[in-house]
Amino acid sequence: MTNVSKSYSQGKRTVVALNDVTLSIPDGQMVAVQGPTGGGKSTLLQMLGALDRPSSGEVQLGGSTLSKLGDNALAGIRAREIGFVFQSFNLIPTLTAQENVETALAPLGMPGSERRAKAQDALASVGLGDRLTHRPAELSGGQQQRVAIARALVKSPDVLLADEPTGALDEETRDEIMQLLEGFWREKGLTLIIVTHDTAVARRAERRLHIKGGTVREA
């Protein structure tokens, strides 16, 4: 990110969510981002994940300048290069665990048999090889987050963005999920960026950033 700012209009006032942020994250780094509510964490993640464009400045991923790409190109980058994990899991309640993971592969035009095989392998890798046909309501919170992680990783992304991935979990399950994420980070060489309020989670990262008032600094 180079001199990135993002402003929103709220009625007659302008809210500055990011303020002239310049930030470089090397390939393969594990980064934790902390900060108060309203400090800009979600906006920062949206910029890094090609979900929104800055008001000014440039966002680059590899050789692509995201802030200059059209909607279709950004959707393609999200589909292939970036995985997302959310606090609320964002699973589709009417689909099985396997079908939820397969949704990440649907935009890639992959044959159904290949999608199913990859989804099964991904679920096995998070310890849910015996829960393929279970729907979210039949799974614990930790198991639902494992399905979400499998969905994020099944397409082999370069970058994994996790927005409060342990925020809805108890302490023991939090530690299990973090061990899982760290294992994949080391094994696959992912760039892992975690937004968290939990200092115990942030301490596990190689690098810690703090964002407040739209300004990012090293923690």
Side-chain angles (χ1 to χ4, degrees):
M1 303 178 73
T2 306
N3 303 120
V4 169
S5 294
K6 180 66 178 182
S7 301
Y8 299 96
S9 294
Q10 288 187 350
K12 294 183 179 180
R13 61 191 285 260
T14 298
V15 176
V16 178
L18 292 179
N19 184 16
D20 196 29
V21 174
T22 294
L23 172 66
S24 178
I25 299 176
D27 288 344
Q29 191 169 66
M30 179 179 175
V31 182
V33 181
Q34 291 181 282
T37 299
K41 297 190 302 297
S42 295
T43 304
L44 179 69
L45 210 65
Q46 288 169 356
M47 295 298 156
L48 294 172
L51 292 166
D52 199 358
R53 292 183 177 83
S55 302
S56 61
E58 291 190 347
V59 181
Q60 292 182 299
L61 174 62
S64 300
T65 302
L66 304 183
S67 43
K68 294 182 178 179
L69 297 179
D71 291 344
N72 288 341
L74 288 177
I77 285 175
R78 290 194 301 271
R80 292 175 174 81
E81 299 183 42
I82 304 172
F84 298 91
V85 178
F86 303 96
Q87 176 178 346
S88 57
F89 317 136
N90 287 9
L91 301 178
I92 300 171
T94 56
L95 299 184
T96 65
Q98 179 178 317
E99 290 166 343
N100 266 285
V101 174
E102 284 187 51
T103 61
L105 299 174
L108 305 183
M110 192 176 290
S113 59
E114 188 176 354
R115 285 203 312 270
R116 288 189 290 275
K118 284 184 174 292
Q120 290 168 11
D121 288 345
L123 284 165
S125 74
V126 298
L128 293 178
D130 59 345
R131 297 288 191 274
L132 302 179
T133 61
H134 287 60
R135 288 180 171 79
E138 301 170 310
L139 301 170
S140 69
Q143 288 172 331
Q144 290 184 62
Q145 193 61 294
R146 287 172 183 265
V147 174
I149 292 169
R151 180 183 57 190
L153 294 178
V154 70
K155 58 189 177 182
S156 299
D158 298 318
V159 179
L160 181 61
L161 302 178
D163 189 1
E164 297 284 359
T166 62
L169 306 175
D170 60 60
E171 192 171 297
E172 181 179 352
T173 309
R174 174 201 69 188
D175 292 342
E176 291 173 357
I177 291 299
M178 285 307 303
Q179 287 172 9
L180 191 66
L181 288 172
E182 288 174 358
F184 285 122
W185 165 61
R186 292 191 179 93
E187 174 189 338
K188 299 178 182 293
L190 291 165
T191 303
L192 175 57
I193 303 169
I194 300 176
V195 167
T196 183
H197 279 98
D198 191 334
T199 300
V201 170
R203 284 175 177 158
R204 302 173 80 124
E206 281 186 304
R207 180 184 181 191
R208 295 169 64 183
L209 301 174
H210 189 271
I211 183 168
K212 182 179 180 180
T215 299
V216 177
R217 62 174 175 79
E218 300 286 336

